[in-house]
């Protein structure tokens, strides 16, 4: 969900106003995609590298998350959306962790759409964590090294339970992955757009989906 800061700066507003607009854009996108029949949506909210930002900005983003979880979980549940968080949640503040647990509990049964929010998430860190879990199981004699398959590793990723993404949309003009879903996106289609995240409305999402529908997916095979 890139481009919040620039969106605000272009309007002469503080970057945090952009994050606030970005959080509304997330709500709207989730509801729209659910109505279109999308079953899995994964968004990148905060990376393991985003802690490098000024502390005021980091705490503004965390406050917005708390606000979102407080205000929106009931509405998400009414829409039968399950909301879960992927990443290392340990360093987050207690109140946010509590709200995340509550969100997990309240929405666990919902099966209309699974929305995964990557928070303090890094793709490499996710793979390392999975490798360590498998390593421990091998050391315990529970698993043989030859049982370390793609499926076994994928089952230890934060994303376990969701299929690999068909389409990865990167708004905000940058053309890079930035440590997002490194393992899962090996055969995803990528859509890059200069549109800033707060401006990714229904029309812009439609454009990304239309482009995806024109892609010819071969997964390394031939047509
Ligand atoms: C993305 O918007 C949101 C987060 C990383 C939390 P940015 O804050 O990166 O916005 P730009 O890229 O500076 O415009
Ligand atoms: Mg950015």
């Amino acid at each position: 969900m890139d481009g919040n800061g620039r969106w605000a700066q272009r309007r002469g507003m503080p970057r945090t106003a952009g994050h606030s607009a970005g959080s509304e854009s997330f709500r709207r996108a989730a509801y729209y995609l659910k109505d279109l029949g999308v079953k899995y949506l994964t968004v990148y909210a905060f990376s393991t590298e985003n802690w490098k930002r000024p502390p005021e900005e980091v705490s503004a983003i965390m406050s917005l998350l708390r606000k979102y979880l407080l205000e929106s979980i009931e509405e998400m549940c009414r829409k039968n959306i399950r909301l879960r968080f992927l990443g290392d949640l340990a360093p987050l503040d207690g109140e946010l962790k509590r709200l995340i647990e509550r969100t997990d509990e309240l929405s666990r049964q919902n099966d209309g759409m699974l929305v995964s929010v990557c928070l303090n998430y890094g793709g490499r860190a996710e793979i390392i964590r999975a490798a360590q879990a498998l390593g421990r199981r091998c050391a315990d004699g529970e698993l043989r090294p030859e049982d370390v398959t793609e499926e076994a590793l994928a089952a230890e990723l934060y994303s376990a339970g969701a299929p690999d993404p068909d389409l990865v949309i990167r708004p905000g003009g940058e053309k890079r992955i930035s440590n997002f879903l490194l393992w899962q996106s090996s055969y995803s289609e990528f859509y890059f757009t200069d549109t800033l995240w707060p401006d990714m409305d229904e029309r812009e999402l439609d454009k990304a989906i239309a482009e995806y529908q024109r892609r010819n997916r071969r997964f390394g095979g031939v047509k």
Side-chain angles (χ1 to χ4, degrees):
M1 299 189 284
D2 199 14
N4 295 345
R6 279 164 287 164
W7 183 91
Q9 276 159 344
R10 280 178 201 173
R11 285 166 175 72
M13 301 193 296
R15 291 177 55 83
T16 50
H19 295 310
S20 176
S23 117
E24 277 318 303
S25 188
F26 160 70
R27 181 202 317 274
R28 203 165 145 179
Y31 294 168
Y32 180 61
L33 295 171
K34 160 120 194 319
D35 289 344
L36 289 183
V38 169
K39 289 291 176 196
Y40 301 91
L41 171 67
T42 304
V43 295
Y44 205 174
F46 194 87
S47 76
T48 45
E49 290 76 32
N50 286 147
W51 297 104
K52 292 178 197 157
R53 294 186 177 206
E56 307 79 54
E57 181 168 345
V58 171
S59 71
I61 292 170
M62 297 300 165
S63 308
L64 268 168
L65 266 159
R66 280 196 296 272
K67 182 166 174 280
Y68 190 90
L69 292 181
L70 270 170
E71 292 173 357
S72 308
I73 185 61
E74 280 174 25
E75 189 181 56
M76 290 222 140
C77 281
R78 267 201 307 282
K79 292 182 184 277
N80 196 21
I81 293 173
R82 177 177 170 202
L83 193 60
R84 69 168 181 176
F85 287 80
L86 316 185
D88 178 11
L89 306 180
L92 303 176
D93 83 49
E95 165 76 353
L96 184 54
K97 273 196 280 212
R98 208 180 50 74
L99 284 167
I100 287 175
E101 270 168 37
R102 172 171 165 270
T103 301
D104 255 350
E105 279 160 27
L106 290 176
S107 75
R108 183 161 303 164
Q109 309 304 322
N110 302 343
D111 58 5
M113 173 163 74
L114 173 60
V115 177
S116 303
V117 178
C118 294
L119 184 56
N120 194 25
Y121 170 93
R124 285 188 173 184
E126 180 185 37
I127 294 169
I128 291 296
R129 181 178 163 275
Q132 289 174 348
L134 293 173
R136 268 192 301 274
R137 286 168 58 194
C138 286
D140 291 346
E142 192 191 307
L143 206 67
R144 296 168 305 167
E146 55 272 31
D147 297 327
V148 176
T149 58
E150 292 191 10
E151 292 71 26
L153 192 132
E156 298 288 351
L157 297 174
Y158 292 123
S159 61
D164 289 342
D166 290 313
L167 172 62
V168 176
I169 298 174
R170 173 142 198 178
E174 313 293 358
K175 292 179 182 63
R176 52 176 174 258
I177 301 183
S178 300
N179 211 5
F180 184 58
L181 302 182
L182 293 182
W183 173 279
Q184 299 87 338
S185 65
S186 60
Y187 270 102
S188 300
E189 296 296 326
F190 281 78
Y191 177 83
F192 295 100
T193 172
D194 289 336
T195 302
L196 304 174
W197 172 251
D199 293 327
M200 281 299 291
D201 57 10
E202 292 81 353
R203 220 182 100 246
E204 294 297 323
L205 291 168
D206 280 347
K207 278 199 232 167
I209 293 166
E211 158 98 23
Y212 169 79
Q213 288 170 330
R214 287 192 292 272
R215 300 277 175 91
N216 173 7
R217 303 188 79 190
R218 293 182 300 278
F219 299 95
V222 287
K223 183 101 196 212

